[in-house]
Amino acid sequence: MLPSLTFVLGGAASGKSRIAENILINSGLNLVYLATARIWDDEIQDKVKLHRARRGPEWTTHNAPVELAEIFDLGTPGQAILMDCATMWLTNIMLDEHNLEEEQTALLAALARCRAPVVVVSNEVGQGIVPENALARRFREAQGRLNIALAEQADHVLHVVAGLPRSLKDTRT
């Protein structure tokens, strides 16, 4: 049985999405994928194609670069929802110049209301160098705050390094 909220955190290309997908696949529930990426260039397009091919047709996909609450509100106990990923969602929020605090509060509230178990994937961005420009530094700080809030609300938190998950928090045990 999946916890209400699982948070899967890791660096870029660490294997976190594959691990998150497997958590949902192994649940036996109906699979729902919440895609937050916007296709800006060929690199993102290729990554999206890779993810789609890996998931296969058993997933119901919703493209939701910003507006997630409606999909979480429609979640049922017979489903499991994967939000991939919080980092792309935050990027969209910042580039669209939404109010970060309001949007984060709304996201956390929607996750709390959701009747389906949810797995959220996010990038750990605080272990690298200090970015050279103000926007990148602002993003890093906002991502750190979002990750802290998601980890606090989650029942289960996994950190993925080199395709290996390590449990950081599990309130089920």
Side-chain angles (χ1 to χ4, degrees):
M1 185 165 146
L2 289 179
S4 296
L5 179 59
T6 300
F7 183 47
V8 180
L9 181 68
S14 63
K16 61 192 174 299
S17 291
R18 185 179 301 261
I19 286 175
E21 291 164 6
N22 286 334
I23 290 169
L24 271 71
I25 289 167
N26 292 331
S27 75
L29 298 170
N30 293 322
L31 305 172
V32 177
Y33 187 87
L34 219 62
T36 60
R38 287 183 175 150
I39 310 299
W40 335 88
D41 57 26
D42 291 341
E43 180 183 347
I44 297 284
Q45 178 69 42
D46 291 344
K47 190 167 187 167
V48 167
K49 285 179 185 176
L50 174 72
H51 279 239
R52 282 183 185 151
R54 186 175 66 221
R55 282 194 314 270
E58 61 273 9
W59 291 80
T60 300
T61 300
H62 297 277
N63 294 312
V66 173
E67 299 298 329
L68 305 172
E70 180 180 329
I71 296 161
F72 288 132
D73 287 343
L74 294 174
T76 67
Q79 297 175 320
I81 301 173
L82 173 58
M83 177 186 164
D84 197 358
C85 74
T87 306
M88 294 303 292
W89 174 81
L90 180 63
T91 298
N92 299 333
I93 294 297
M94 290 185 71
L95 292 178
D96 290 354
E97 299 181 355
H98 290 267
N99 181 301
L100 289 173
E101 187 175 328
E102 287 177 10
E103 293 293 342
Q104 179 173 312
T105 299
L107 171 63
L108 296 170
L111 287 167
R113 287 191 309 269
C114 188
R115 296 181 324 132
V118 178
V119 176
V120 176
V121 172
S122 189
N123 285 39
E124 172 54 64
V125 297
Q127 295 179 322
I129 61 172
V130 176
E132 70 172 88
N133 67 72
L135 177 60
R137 286 190 299 275
R138 217 177 79 203
F139 174 80
R140 182 194 60 185
E141 294 301 314
Q143 185 68 63
R145 287 189 304 275
L146 177 60
N147 287 346
I148 290 168
L150 286 166
E152 183 176 282
Q153 187 167 324
D155 303 297
H156 191 201
V157 178
L158 293 172
H159 184 229
V160 179
V161 177
L164 302 171
R166 181 174 188 173
S167 182
L168 300 179
K169 173 184 175 184
D170 194 345
T171 61
R172 302 169 301 165
T173 58

Coordinates of all heavy atoms in Angstrom, one line a residue, residues 4 32 34 62 64 66-83 105-118 153:
S4 N 0.2 8.3 1.4 CA -0.4 9.4 0.7 C 0.5 10.2 -0.2 O 0.1 10.6 -1.3 CB -1.1 10.3 1.8 OG -2.1 9.7 2.5
V32 N -1.4 7.2 -13.3 CA -1.6 8.6 -13.8 C -0.3 9.3 -13.7 O 0.3 9.4 -12.7 CB -2.7 9.3 -13.0 CG1 -2.9 10.7 -13.5 CG2 -4.0 8.6 -13.0
L34 N 1.5 13.0 -14.3 CA 1.3 14.4 -14.4 C 2.6 15.0 -14.9 O 3.6 15.1 -14.2 CB 1.1 15.0 -13.0 CG 0.1 16.1 -12.8 CD1 -1.3 15.6 -13.2 CD2 0.0 16.5 -11.4
H62 N -1.4 13.5 -18.2 CA -2.0 14.8 -18.2 C -0.8 15.8 -18.3 O 0.1 15.7 -17.5 CB -2.8 15.1 -16.9 CG -4.0 14.2 -16.7 ND1 -5.2 14.5 -17.3 CD2 -4.1 13.1 -16.0 CE1 -6.0 13.5 -16.9 NE2 -5.4 12.7 -16.2
A64 N 0.4 19.2 -17.5 CA 0.0 20.2 -16.6 C 1.2 21.0 -16.1 O 1.8 20.8 -15.0 CB -0.7 19.6 -15.4
V66 N 1.6 24.0 -15.1 CA 1.4 24.9 -14.0 C 0.2 24.5 -13.1 O 0.3 24.3 -11.9 CB 1.2 26.4 -14.4 CG1 0.8 27.3 -13.3 CG2 2.4 26.9 -15.1
E67 N -1.0 24.2 -13.8 CA -2.2 24.0 -13.1 C -2.3 22.5 -12.7 O -2.7 21.7 -13.5 CB -3.4 24.4 -13.9 CG -3.4 25.9 -14.3 CD -3.6 26.7 -13.0 OE1 -4.2 26.3 -12.0 OE2 -3.0 27.9 -13.1
L68 N -2.0 22.2 -11.4 CA -2.0 20.8 -11.0 C -3.2 20.4 -10.1 O -3.6 19.3 -10.0 CB -0.7 20.5 -10.2 CG 0.6 20.8 -10.9 CD1 1.7 20.6 -10.0 CD2 0.7 19.9 -12.1
A69 N -3.8 21.4 -9.4 CA -4.8 21.2 -8.4 C -6.0 20.4 -8.9 O -6.5 19.4 -8.3 CB -5.3 22.5 -7.8
E70 N -6.5 20.7 -10.1 CA -7.6 20.0 -10.7 C -7.4 18.5 -10.8 O -8.2 17.7 -10.5 CB -8.0 20.6 -12.0 CG -9.2 20.0 -12.6 CD -9.6 20.6 -14.0 OE1 -9.3 21.8 -14.2 OE2 -10.1 19.8 -14.8
I71 N -6.2 18.2 -11.3 CA -5.9 16.7 -11.5 C -5.8 16.0 -10.1 O -6.3 14.9 -9.9 CB -4.6 16.6 -12.3 CG1 -4.9 17.2 -13.7 CG2 -4.2 15.1 -12.4 CD1 -3.7 17.5 -14.5
F72 N -5.1 16.7 -9.2 CA -5.1 16.1 -7.8 C -6.5 16.0 -7.2 O -6.8 15.0 -6.6 CB -4.2 16.9 -6.9 CG -2.7 16.8 -7.2 CD1 -1.9 17.9 -7.3 CD2 -2.1 15.6 -7.4 CE1 -0.5 17.8 -7.6 CE2 -0.7 15.4 -7.7 CZ 0.0 16.6 -7.8
D73 N -7.3 17.0 -7.5 CA -8.7 16.9 -6.9 C -9.5 15.8 -7.5 O -10.4 15.3 -6.9 CB -9.4 18.3 -7.1 CG -8.8 19.3 -6.1 OD1 -8.1 19.0 -5.1 OD2 -9.0 20.5 -6.4
L74 N -9.2 15.4 -8.7 CA -9.9 14.3 -9.4 C -9.4 12.9 -9.1 O -10.0 11.9 -9.5 CB -9.9 14.5 -10.9 CG -10.6 15.8 -11.5 CD1 -10.4 15.9 -13.0 CD2 -12.1 15.7 -11.1
G75 N -8.3 12.9 -8.3 CA -7.7 11.6 -8.0 C -8.6 10.7 -7.2 O -9.3 11.2 -6.3
T76 N -8.6 9.4 -7.4 CA -9.4 8.5 -6.7 C -8.5 7.4 -6.0 O -7.4 7.2 -6.4 CB -10.4 7.7 -7.6 OG1 -9.6 6.9 -8.5 CG2 -11.2 8.7 -8.4
P77 N -9.0 6.8 -5.0 CA -8.2 5.8 -4.3 C -7.7 4.6 -5.2 O -6.7 4.0 -4.8 CB -9.1 5.2 -3.2 CG -10.1 6.4 -2.9 CD -10.3 7.0 -4.3
G78 N -8.4 4.4 -6.3 CA -8.0 3.3 -7.2 C -6.8 3.7 -8.1 O -6.4 3.0 -9.0
Q79 N -6.4 5.0 -8.0 CA -5.3 5.5 -8.9 C -4.0 5.8 -8.0 O -4.1 5.9 -6.8 CB -5.7 6.8 -9.5 CG -6.9 6.8 -10.4 CD -7.3 8.1 -10.9 OE1 -7.3 9.1 -10.2 NE2 -7.6 8.2 -12.2
A80 N -2.9 5.9 -8.7 CA -1.7 6.4 -8.2 C -1.2 7.4 -9.1 O -1.1 7.2 -10.3 CB -0.7 5.2 -8.0
I81 N -0.8 8.6 -8.6 CA -0.4 9.7 -9.5 C 1.1 10.0 -9.3 O 1.6 10.1 -8.2 CB -1.2 11.0 -9.1 CG1 -2.7 10.7 -9.3 CG2 -0.8 12.2 -9.9 CD1 -3.6 11.9 -8.8
L82 N 1.7 10.2 -10.4 CA 3.1 10.5 -10.4 C 3.2 12.0 -11.0 O 2.8 12.2 -12.1 CB 4.0 9.6 -11.3 CG 5.4 10.0 -11.6 CD1 6.2 10.1 -10.3 CD2 6.1 8.9 -12.4
M83 N 3.8 12.9 -10.2 CA 4.1 14.2 -10.7 C 5.6 14.3 -11.0 O 6.4 14.2 -10.1 CB 3.8 15.3 -9.6 CG 4.1 16.7 -9.9 SD 3.8 17.8 -8.5 CE 4.8 19.2 -9.1
T105 N 1.9 27.1 -1.7 CA 0.9 26.8 -0.8 C -0.3 26.1 -1.4 O -0.8 25.1 -0.9 CB 0.4 28.1 -0.1 OG1 1.5 28.8 0.6 CG2 -0.8 27.9 0.9
A106 N -0.7 26.5 -2.6 CA -1.8 25.8 -3.3 C -1.4 24.4 -3.7 O -2.2 23.5 -3.6 CB -2.1 26.7 -4.6
L107 N -0.1 24.2 -4.1 CA 0.3 22.9 -4.5 C 0.3 21.9 -3.3 O -0.3 20.8 -3.3 CB 1.8 22.9 -5.1 CG 2.4 21.5 -5.3 CD1 1.7 20.7 -6.3 CD2 3.9 21.7 -5.7
L108 N 0.8 22.4 -2.2 CA 0.8 21.6 -0.9 C -0.6 21.3 -0.5 O -0.9 20.1 0.0 CB 1.6 22.2 0.1 CG 3.1 22.4 -0.2 CD1 3.8 23.3 0.9 CD2 3.8 21.1 -0.3
A109 N -1.5 22.2 -0.6 CA -2.9 22.0 -0.2 C -3.6 21.0 -1.1 O -4.3 20.1 -0.7 CB -3.7 23.3 -0.2
A110 N -3.3 21.1 -2.4 CA -3.9 20.1 -3.4 C -3.3 18.7 -3.1 O -4.1 17.7 -3.2 CB -3.5 20.5 -4.8
L111 N -2.1 18.6 -2.8 CA -1.5 17.3 -2.5 C -2.2 16.7 -1.2 O -2.5 15.5 -1.1 CB 0.0 17.4 -2.3 CG 0.8 17.6 -3.5 CD1 2.3 18.0 -3.2 CD2 0.8 16.3 -4.4
A112 N -2.4 17.5 -0.2 CA -3.1 17.1 1.0 C -4.5 16.6 0.8 O -5.0 15.7 1.4 CB -3.0 18.2 2.1
R113 N -5.2 17.3 -0.2 CA -6.6 16.9 -0.5 C -6.7 15.7 -1.3 O -7.8 15.0 -1.3 CB -7.3 18.1 -1.2 CG -7.6 19.3 -0.5 CD -8.5 20.2 -1.3 NE -8.1 20.5 -2.7 CZ -7.3 21.5 -3.0 NH1 -6.9 22.4 -2.1 NH2 -6.9 21.7 -4.3
C114 N -5.7 15.3 -2.1 CA -5.8 14.3 -3.1 C -6.1 12.9 -2.4 O -5.5 12.5 -1.5 CB -4.5 14.2 -3.8 SG -4.6 13.0 -5.2
R115 N -7.1 12.3 -3.0 CA -7.6 11.0 -2.5 C -6.8 9.8 -3.0 O -6.8 8.7 -2.5 CB -9.1 10.8 -2.7 CG -9.9 11.8 -2.0 CD -11.4 11.6 -2.3 NE -11.8 11.2 -3.6 CZ -12.6 10.2 -3.8 NH1 -13.2 9.6 -2.8 NH2 -12.9 9.8 -5.1
A116 N -6.0 10.1 -4.0 CA -5.1 9.0 -4.6 C -3.7 9.2 -4.0 O -3.3 10.3 -3.7 CB -5.0 9.2 -6.1
P117 N -2.9 8.1 -3.8 CA -1.5 8.3 -3.4 C -0.8 9.0 -4.5 O -1.0 8.8 -5.7 CB -1.1 6.9 -3.2 CG -2.0 6.0 -3.8 CD -3.3 6.7 -4.0
V118 N 0.2 9.8 -4.1 CA 0.9 10.6 -5.1 C 2.4 10.4 -4.8 O 2.9 10.4 -3.6 CB 0.6 12.2 -4.9 CG1 1.5 13.0 -5.9 CG2 -0.9 12.4 -5.1
Q153 N 5.9 17.4 4.3 CA 4.6 16.9 4.1 C 4.5 15.4 3.8 O 3.5 14.7 4.1 CB 3.9 17.7 3.1 CG 2.4 17.4 2.9 CD 1.6 18.4 2.1 OE1 2.0 19.6 2.2 NE2 0.7 18.0 1.3

